[in-house]
Amino acid sequence: MGRLDFLCRGGILPEDLKHPLNSGHARKLISEILARGTVEYWKHARDELKRDSLETTDAENVLRCGKIYEPAEQSSKDSTWRYRVHTDLMVVVVIIYSSEELAVVTAWRKR
């Protein structure tokens, strides 16, 4: 599915991301981006994964099958919305930039 197909089927435009998505919509969009888009990792996220002996594949597995329980949090630095994706073992925090790109901001193993 191309970008135009996704947008025509009710996808997200950049201006839509000025407001938080509900958890169901965010989950669906994260899945779409994992399947067809770009996932970038901030240095902080890579450092935290390494510190907990985790890999980027662990983070991507959380993004594939995790759940979003809390409302999105707005960053005071750049007004982006951050979503926490949980499994029983991990949390991954992402920013959705568009219908094609997200960034992993941080991640950690639940203790």
Side-chain angles (χ1 to χ4, degrees), residues 16-23 25-27 29-30 40-45 48 63 67-86 91-98 101-108:
D16 294 328
L17 297 174
K18 291 179 183 175
H19 305 282
L21 302 173
N22 68 46
S23 60
H25 204 161
R27 276 288 324 127
L29 187 53
I30 290 168
E40 76 174 63
Y41 286 83
W42 286 14
K43 181 182 181 318
H44 175 76
E48 291 299 308
L63 296 178
K67 297 188 182 326
I68 300 173
Y69 297 112
E70 303 100 341
E73 297 175 16
Q74 190 169 28
S75 170
S76 59
K77 294 179 184 177
D78 59 10
S79 298
T80 57
W81 293 95
R82 296 173 185 218
Y83 301 87
R84 290 183 181 207
V85 184
H86 294 259
V91 178
V92 177
V93 180
V94 299
I95 295 172
I96 301 171
Y97 290 124
S98 71
E101 183 180 11
L102 66 78
V104 176
V105 175
T106 191
W108 62 89

Side-chain angles (χ1 to χ4, degrees), residues 10-63:
I12 300 297
L13 296 169
E15 59 269 15
D16 294 328
L17 297 174
K18 291 179 183 175
H19 305 282
L21 302 173
N22 68 46
S23 60
H25 204 161
R27 276 288 324 127
K28 183 176 179 180
L29 187 53
I30 290 168
S31 294
E32 288 288 332
I33 295 168
L34 281 170
R36 296 174 182 80
T38 302
V39 177
E40 76 174 63
Y41 286 83
W42 286 14
K43 181 182 181 318
H44 175 76
R46 290 186 183 278
D47 291 345
E48 291 299 308
L49 288 168
K50 185 176 180 180
R51 190 171 67 104
D52 284 347
S53 300
L54 297 165
E55 304 285 333
T56 57
T57 52
D58 296 311
E60 288 173 15
N61 286 334
V62 170
L63 296 178

